[in-house]
Amino acid sequence: MKILFLLPFSFLPPNSGNKNLTCNLLKYITKNALCDLILLGENDHNDAETKKALISEFPEIGKIWIFKKPKNTEKISSKIKFASQGYHPALGSYYSQQLANWLKFFVPKNSYDLIHFDMFYMAIYQQYCASIPSVLVASDAYSMSMHRAKLGTNSTIHKFFWLIQE
């Protein structure tokens, strides 16, 4: 089995619940399947050091690609774009046109059995991999609780408030 993981940030060190979940999942899966990684990296981080740390922690890992998150006007433009489409503006902080274009070209030419979208921020890339089975790990309990609160009220004002929080 060959799996492509799309991650919104480097999960090392595993110092939060989401990072710990991803780290443990990869420790298990890399022993049983070939896993390649795509990370969205911060613009001020050293990609070579990130790759070195990942390979040290996960020697069975396949290929690692790091794309940079948008910054400045590109980030603001992306936030406005997503908000105007009815999505949370935070998605704009994780949208890389370079990654989107790369996925359109790369994924069809490779034989992935599954694509793992880690966290809600990466769901925006599913459209570029639609022909391959995928799983979204929406491990953000806060978003889920806001979604439940939205479903549990009849007030339009409250629904809007919970939608933004969701």
Side-chain angles (χ1 to χ4, degrees), residues 6-116:
L6 276 81
L7 304 152
F9 42 69
S10 177
F11 51 91
L12 294 179
N15 56 5
S16 73
N18 286 335
K19 290 180 179 183
N20 194 36
L21 175 73
T22 301
C23 190
N24 286 324
L25 181 63
L26 271 176
K27 281 184 181 179
Y28 174 78
I29 291 181
T30 55
K31 292 180 186 346
N32 299 291
L34 175 62
C35 297
D36 293 339
L37 298 179
I38 294 175
L39 302 175
L40 282 177
E42 300 295 336
N43 290 290
D44 59 349
H45 282 90
N46 184 322
D47 294 347
E49 287 179 16
T50 300
K51 285 183 180 182
K52 184 178 175 181
L54 286 165
I55 291 167
S56 175
E57 185 75 25
F58 304 96
E60 300 92 0
I61 208 76
K63 297 175 183 167
I64 301 170
W65 297 275
I66 300 176
F67 292 85
K68 296 298 186 185
K69 292 179 185 173
K71 60 181 182 177
N72 304 329
T73 57
E74 181 185 6
K75 184 176 181 178
I76 293 167
S77 174
S78 288
K79 284 181 173 231
I80 292 168
K81 173 186 154 192
F82 282 103
S84 71
Q85 294 173 352
Y87 297 107
H88 197 288
L91 291 173
S93 297
Y94 296 89
Y95 184 75
S96 163
Q97 187 63 54
Q98 182 185 13
L99 173 55
N101 292 339
W102 186 84
L103 286 169
K104 285 184 223 176
F105 171 77
F106 180 79
V107 169
K109 296 181 185 297
N110 288 275
S111 304
Y112 289 106
D113 297 303
L114 179 71
I115 299 185
H116 170 104

